[in-house]
Amino acid sequence: MLEFTMSRVALCICGAVLLGAVAVPFSAICSSDGDVRMTETADSIAETIDCFYRSEADMMTLRGWDILPNAGCSFRVEMGFVILCDGEKEYLSPISCCSEDFSLPYDGTVTLKKSGPGIAPV
């Protein structure tokens, strides 16, 4: 009877060790998945700005709540990069057109116009 109890205790200890070995890589995968989505969002915003520059439209209005993933996010354009901020980290994506610096919070709007070799906020 004692051998049966000891084998069950050893089995529980091995199960806990295996669970711990799986939990650490899984939590890293989950945190990097959020980073991937934020990077994709920054790339999408940069592509939107580049597509506007290549289009025939003269003006475009961006609303933060339409393009940003949550209320804690904002983005700014500085020195040819879209910088998406989520409060803790920043995600960069390059834009191909020259641009004046501007920023957009979640609850804000910005109107962009074509200006010479790039775009500028109105």
PDB file of all heavy atoms in Angstrom, residues 23-46:
ATOM      1  N   ALA A  23       4.578  25.695 -19.279  1.00  0.00           N
ATOM      2  CA  ALA A  23       3.955  26.997 -19.011  1.00  0.00           C
ATOM      3  C   ALA A  23       4.869  28.170 -19.363  1.00  0.00           C
ATOM      4  O   ALA A  23       4.391  29.187 -19.861  1.00  0.00           O
ATOM      5  CB  ALA A  23       3.547  27.088 -17.546  1.00  0.00           C
ATOM      6  N   VAL A  24       6.155  28.060 -19.133  1.00  0.00           N
ATOM      7  CA  VAL A  24       7.072  29.171 -19.404  1.00  0.00           C
ATOM      8  C   VAL A  24       7.159  29.485 -20.898  1.00  0.00           C
ATOM      9  O   VAL A  24       6.967  30.637 -21.303  1.00  0.00           O
ATOM     10  CB  VAL A  24       8.465  28.883 -18.798  1.00  0.00           C
ATOM     11  CG1 VAL A  24       9.472  29.915 -19.234  1.00  0.00           C
ATOM     12  CG2 VAL A  24       8.369  28.835 -17.284  1.00  0.00           C
ATOM     13  N   PRO A  25       7.395  28.517 -21.782  1.00  0.00           N
ATOM     14  CA  PRO A  25       7.409  28.859 -23.215  1.00  0.00           C
ATOM     15  C   PRO A  25       6.046  29.324 -23.719  1.00  0.00           C
ATOM     16  O   PRO A  25       5.962  30.183 -24.588  1.00  0.00           O
ATOM     17  CB  PRO A  25       7.821  27.553 -23.902  1.00  0.00           C
ATOM     18  CG  PRO A  25       8.473  26.740 -22.866  1.00  0.00           C
ATOM     19  CD  PRO A  25       7.849  27.140 -21.566  1.00  0.00           C
ATOM     20  N   PHE A  26       4.977  28.772 -23.184  1.00  0.00           N
ATOM     21  CA  PHE A  26       3.638  29.177 -23.627  1.00  0.00           C
ATOM     22  C   PHE A  26       3.362  30.635 -23.276  1.00  0.00           C
ATOM     23  O   PHE A  26       2.793  31.376 -24.073  1.00  0.00           O
ATOM     24  CB  PHE A  26       2.573  28.271 -23.011  1.00  0.00           C
ATOM     25  CG  PHE A  26       1.195  28.595 -23.483  1.00  0.00           C
ATOM     26  CD1 PHE A  26       0.807  28.270 -24.777  1.00  0.00           C
ATOM     27  CD2 PHE A  26       0.297  29.229 -22.655  1.00  0.00           C
ATOM     28  CE1 PHE A  26      -0.461  28.568 -25.230  1.00  0.00           C
ATOM     29  CE2 PHE A  26      -0.974  29.539 -23.102  1.00  0.00           C
ATOM     30  CZ  PHE A  26      -1.366  29.211 -24.383  1.00  0.00           C
ATOM     31  N   SER A  27       3.778  31.087 -22.101  1.00  0.00           N
ATOM     32  CA  SER A  27       3.564  32.492 -21.736  1.00  0.00           C
ATOM     33  C   SER A  27       4.400  33.413 -22.615  1.00  0.00           C
ATOM     34  O   SER A  27       3.969  34.516 -22.958  1.00  0.00           O
ATOM     35  CB  SER A  27       3.894  32.726 -20.260  1.00  0.00           C
ATOM     36  OG  SER A  27       5.272  32.526 -20.027  1.00  0.00           O
ATOM     37  N   ALA A  28       5.588  32.978 -23.037  1.00  0.00           N
ATOM     38  CA  ALA A  28       6.405  33.782 -23.948  1.00  0.00           C
ATOM     39  C   ALA A  28       5.749  33.880 -25.317  1.00  0.00           C
ATOM     40  O   ALA A  28       5.783  34.930 -25.959  1.00  0.00           O
ATOM     41  CB  ALA A  28       7.804  33.182 -24.072  1.00  0.00           C
ATOM     42  N   ILE A  29       5.118  32.796 -25.760  1.00  0.00           N
ATOM     43  CA  ILE A  29       4.422  32.811 -27.045  1.00  0.00           C
ATOM     44  C   ILE A  29       3.257  33.793 -26.995  1.00  0.00           C
ATOM     45  O   ILE A  29       3.031  34.557 -27.926  1.00  0.00           O
ATOM     46  CB  ILE A  29       3.942  31.388 -27.419  1.00  0.00           C
ATOM     47  CG1 ILE A  29       5.122  30.511 -27.787  1.00  0.00           C
ATOM     48  CG2 ILE A  29       2.928  31.426 -28.559  1.00  0.00           C
ATOM     49  CD1 ILE A  29       4.774  29.042 -27.937  1.00  0.00           C
ATOM     50  N   CYS A  30       2.512  33.789 -25.910  1.00  0.00           N
ATOM     51  CA  CYS A  30       1.354  34.686 -25.787  1.00  0.00           C
ATOM     52  C   CYS A  30       1.779  36.143 -25.767  1.00  0.00           C
ATOM     53  O   CYS A  30       1.135  36.991 -26.383  1.00  0.00           O
ATOM     54  CB  CYS A  30       0.561  34.358 -24.529  1.00  0.00           C
ATOM     55  SG  CYS A  30      -0.323  32.798 -24.630  1.00  0.00           S
ATOM     56  N   SER A  31       2.856  36.477 -25.071  1.00  0.00           N
ATOM     57  CA  SER A  31       3.292  37.872 -25.020  1.00  0.00           C
ATOM     58  C   SER A  31       3.855  38.319 -26.366  1.00  0.00           C
ATOM     59  O   SER A  31       3.666  39.457 -26.777  1.00  0.00           O
ATOM     60  CB  SER A  31       4.330  38.078 -23.916  1.00  0.00           C
ATOM     61  OG  SER A  31       5.527  37.410 -24.222  1.00  0.00           O
ATOM     62  N   SER A  32       4.529  37.441 -27.086  1.00  0.00           N
ATOM     63  CA  SER A  32       5.055  37.842 -28.386  1.00  0.00           C
ATOM     64  C   SER A  32       3.941  37.959 -29.416  1.00  0.00           C
ATOM     65  O   SER A  32       4.066  38.713 -30.376  1.00  0.00           O
ATOM     66  CB  SER A  32       6.128  36.865 -28.864  1.00  0.00           C
ATOM     67  OG  SER A  32       5.558  35.618 -29.185  1.00  0.00           O
ATOM     68  N   ASP A  33       2.825  37.253 -29.229  1.00  0.00           N
ATOM     69  CA  ASP A  33       1.689  37.363 -30.132  1.00  0.00           C
ATOM     70  C   ASP A  33       1.111  38.779 -30.074  1.00  0.00           C
ATOM     71  O   ASP A  33       0.757  39.350 -31.107  1.00  0.00           O
ATOM     72  CB  ASP A  33       0.627  36.330 -29.769  1.00  0.00           C
ATOM     73  CG  ASP A  33      -0.516  36.305 -30.754  1.00  0.00           C
ATOM     74  OD1 ASP A  33      -0.239  36.326 -31.967  1.00  0.00           O
ATOM     75  OD2 ASP A  33      -1.682  36.261 -30.309  1.00  0.00           O
ATOM     76  N   GLY A  34       1.053  39.368 -28.898  1.00  0.00           N
ATOM     77  CA  GLY A  34       0.596  40.756 -28.778  1.00  0.00           C
ATOM     78  C   GLY A  34       1.543  41.720 -29.469  1.00  0.00           C
ATOM     79  O   GLY A  34       1.102  42.673 -30.122  1.00  0.00           O
ATOM     80  N   ASP A  35       2.835  41.465 -29.366  1.00  0.00           N
ATOM     81  CA  ASP A  35       3.818  42.303 -30.054  1.00  0.00           C
ATOM     82  C   ASP A  35       3.675  42.194 -31.568  1.00  0.00           C
ATOM     83  O   ASP A  35       3.796  43.183 -32.280  1.00  0.00           O
ATOM     84  CB  ASP A  35       5.241  41.918 -29.645  1.00  0.00           C
ATOM     85  CG  ASP A  35       5.566  42.320 -28.214  1.00  0.00           C
ATOM     86  OD1 ASP A  35       4.894  43.219 -27.682  1.00  0.00           O
ATOM     87  OD2 ASP A  35       6.505  41.734 -27.639  1.00  0.00           O
ATOM     88  N   VAL A  36       3.401  40.998 -32.050  1.00  0.00           N
ATOM     89  CA  VAL A  36       3.229  40.802 -33.487  1.00  0.00           C
ATOM     90  C   VAL A  36       2.017  41.582 -33.984  1.00  0.00           C
ATOM     91  O   VAL A  36       2.070  42.260 -35.014  1.00  0.00           O
ATOM     92  CB  VAL A  36       3.095  39.294 -33.822  1.00  0.00           C
ATOM     93  CG1 VAL A  36       2.606  39.083 -35.240  1.00  0.00           C
ATOM     94  CG2 VAL A  36       4.415  38.580 -33.595  1.00  0.00           C
ATOM     95  N   ARG A  37       0.925  41.530 -33.227  1.00  0.00           N
ATOM     96  CA  ARG A  37      -0.278  42.265 -33.643  1.00  0.00           C
ATOM     97  C   ARG A  37      -0.059  43.775 -33.627  1.00  0.00           C
ATOM     98  O   ARG A  37      -0.537  44.481 -34.517  1.00  0.00           O
ATOM     99  CB  ARG A  37      -1.463  41.885 -32.767  1.00  0.00           C
ATOM    100  CG  ARG A  37      -2.072  40.555 -33.190  1.00  0.00           C
ATOM    101  CD  ARG A  37      -3.271  40.234 -32.398  1.00  0.00           C
ATOM    102  NE  ARG A  37      -2.748  39.576 -31.201  1.00  0.00           N
ATOM    103  CZ  ARG A  37      -3.395  39.437 -30.074  1.00  0.00           C
ATOM    104  NH1 ARG A  37      -4.599  39.892 -29.943  1.00  0.00           N
ATOM    105  NH2 ARG A  37      -2.852  38.829 -29.051  1.00  0.00           N
ATOM    106  N   MET A  38       0.669  44.274 -32.654  1.00  0.00           N
ATOM    107  CA  MET A  38       0.941  45.717 -32.604  1.00  0.00           C
ATOM    108  C   MET A  38       1.867  46.128 -33.750  1.00  0.00           C
ATOM    109  O   MET A  38       1.687  47.194 -34.341  1.00  0.00           O
ATOM    110  CB  MET A  38       1.547  46.097 -31.250  1.00  0.00           C
ATOM    111  CG  MET A  38       0.575  45.975 -30.101  1.00  0.00           C
ATOM    112  SD  MET A  38      -0.847  47.078 -30.244  1.00  0.00           S
ATOM    113  CE  MET A  38      -0.104  48.601 -29.732  1.00  0.00           C
ATOM    114  N   THR A  39       2.843  45.297 -34.077  1.00  0.00           N
ATOM    115  CA  THR A  39       3.719  45.584 -35.213  1.00  0.00           C
ATOM    116  C   THR A  39       2.925  45.584 -36.510  1.00  0.00           C
ATOM    117  O   THR A  39       3.129  46.451 -37.372  1.00  0.00           O
ATOM    118  CB  THR A  39       4.866  44.561 -35.278  1.00  0.00           C
ATOM    119  OG1 THR A  39       5.598  44.606 -34.053  1.00  0.00           O
ATOM    120  CG2 THR A  39       5.800  44.851 -36.435  1.00  0.00           C
ATOM    121  N   GLU A  40       2.005  44.639 -36.660  1.00  0.00           N
ATOM    122  CA  GLU A  40       1.151  44.613 -37.849  1.00  0.00           C
ATOM    123  C   GLU A  40       0.260  45.857 -37.926  1.00  0.00           C
ATOM    124  O   GLU A  40       0.014  46.375 -39.021  1.00  0.00           O
ATOM    125  CB  GLU A  40       0.296  43.346 -37.858  1.00  0.00           C
ATOM    126  CG  GLU A  40       1.081  42.092 -38.152  1.00  0.00           C
ATOM    127  CD  GLU A  40       0.255  40.826 -37.995  1.00  0.00           C
ATOM    128  OE1 GLU A  40      -0.899  40.896 -37.493  1.00  0.00           O
ATOM    129  OE2 GLU A  40       0.761  39.761 -38.383  1.00  0.00           O
ATOM    130  N   THR A  41      -0.208  46.339 -36.787  1.00  0.00           N
ATOM    131  CA  THR A  41      -1.017  47.556 -36.775  1.00  0.00           C
ATOM    132  C   THR A  41      -0.188  48.755 -37.203  1.00  0.00           C
ATOM    133  O   THR A  41      -0.650  49.587 -37.992  1.00  0.00           O
ATOM    134  CB  THR A  41      -1.615  47.792 -35.370  1.00  0.00           C
ATOM    135  OG1 THR A  41      -2.412  46.665 -35.008  1.00  0.00           O
ATOM    136  CG2 THR A  41      -2.468  49.042 -35.339  1.00  0.00           C
ATOM    137  N   ALA A  42       1.045  48.856 -36.705  1.00  0.00           N
ATOM    138  CA  ALA A  42       1.928  49.952 -37.122  1.00  0.00           C
ATOM    139  C   ALA A  42       2.206  49.873 -38.624  1.00  0.00           C
ATOM    140  O   ALA A  42       2.192  50.902 -39.318  1.00  0.00           O
ATOM    141  CB  ALA A  42       3.237  49.907 -36.337  1.00  0.00           C
ATOM    142  N   ASP A  43       2.438  48.675 -39.142  1.00  0.00           N
ATOM    143  CA  ASP A  43       2.656  48.498 -40.584  1.00  0.00           C
ATOM    144  C   ASP A  43       1.419  48.906 -41.373  1.00  0.00           C
ATOM    145  O   ASP A  43       1.526  49.511 -42.441  1.00  0.00           O
ATOM    146  CB  ASP A  43       3.026  47.053 -40.905  1.00  0.00           C
ATOM    147  CG  ASP A  43       4.391  46.654 -40.377  1.00  0.00           C
ATOM    148  OD1 ASP A  43       5.197  47.557 -40.065  1.00  0.00           O
ATOM    149  OD2 ASP A  43       4.651  45.436 -40.264  1.00  0.00           O
ATOM    150  N   SER A  44       0.255  48.589 -40.858  1.00  0.00           N
ATOM    151  CA  SER A  44      -0.997  48.928 -41.536  1.00  0.00           C
ATOM    152  C   SER A  44      -1.206  50.441 -41.583  1.00  0.00           C
ATOM    153  O   SER A  44      -1.643  50.985 -42.612  1.00  0.00           O
ATOM    154  CB  SER A  44      -2.164  48.251 -40.819  1.00  0.00           C
ATOM    155  OG  SER A  44      -3.379  48.638 -41.367  1.00  0.00           O
ATOM    156  N   ILE A  45      -0.893  51.131 -40.506  1.00  0.00           N
ATOM    157  CA  ILE A  45      -1.025  52.596 -40.484  1.00  0.00           C
ATOM    158  C   ILE A  45      -0.046  53.213 -41.483  1.00  0.00           C
ATOM    159  O   ILE A  45      -0.402  54.125 -42.236  1.00  0.00           O
ATOM    160  CB  ILE A  45      -0.796  53.141 -39.059  1.00  0.00           C
ATOM    161  CG1 ILE A  45      -1.924  52.686 -38.129  1.00  0.00           C
ATOM    162  CG2 ILE A  45      -0.688  54.661 -39.072  1.00  0.00           C
ATOM    163  CD1 ILE A  45      -1.663  52.956 -36.666  1.00  0.00           C
ATOM    164  N   ALA A  46       1.187  52.715 -41.508  1.00  0.00           N
ATOM    165  CA  ALA A  46       2.181  53.230 -42.457  1.00  0.00           C
ATOM    166  C   ALA A  46       1.730  52.985 -43.894  1.00  0.00           C
ATOM    167  O   ALA A  46       1.871  53.870 -44.755  1.00  0.00           O
ATOM    168  CB  ALA A  46       3.542  52.574 -42.205  1.00  0.00           C
TER     169      ALA A  46
END
